[in-house]
Amino acid sequence: MPRTKGSKNKPKVANDYASQIAEKQEAIASLNTEITSIQKAIEEQKNTLKEKKSALKKAEKEVESLEAKKAKADARPLKKQRRLKPRPC
């Protein structure tokens, strides 16, 4: 008959299920509180992200309008120069 492997001198553990259950419940409670705090932080970050995106859109619109005004202003002197050119008679 072959020999069994492993230690045969294992200490016998008394099964104290009540303490194990209490430990696991404490771990669950702490994890739940961590999860709620993380969710609150995520919501706050989402709100700041929305605010930043709206500010970015507003700034982009302002830049576009200023560029359009600049192009319009640059085009005006050209029109005046065209008008002021002497025509050969």
Side-chain angles (χ1 to χ4, degrees), residues 13-28:
V13 177
N15 292 332
D16 186 16
Y17 293 115
S19 65
Q20 290 177 354
I21 289 171
E23 289 175 8
K24 295 296 179 181
Q25 287 176 340
E26 289 175 11
I28 289 171

Side-chain angles (χ1 to χ4, degrees), residues 1 23 31-32 38 48 63 65 78 82-84 88:
M1 187 175 195
E23 289 175 8
L31 288 172
N32 282 334
I38 291 171
T48 56
V63 167
S65 67
L78 293 177
R82 287 182 200 156
R83 287 186 209 159
L84 296 177

Side-chain angles (χ1 to χ4, degrees), residues 69-87:
K69 287 180 181 178
K70 180 185 175 196
K72 199 173 191 181
D74 290 345
R76 282 185 187 161
L78 293 177
K79 288 182 181 178
K80 288 181 182 177
Q81 287 177 359
R82 287 182 200 156
R83 287 186 209 159
L84 296 177
K85 287 183 183 177
R87 295 184 183 183

Side-chain angles (χ1 to χ4, degrees), residues 3-10:
R3 249 178 76 200
T4 58
K5 295 182 179 180
S7 175
K8 297 176 189 168
N9 298 327
K10 294 181 182 176

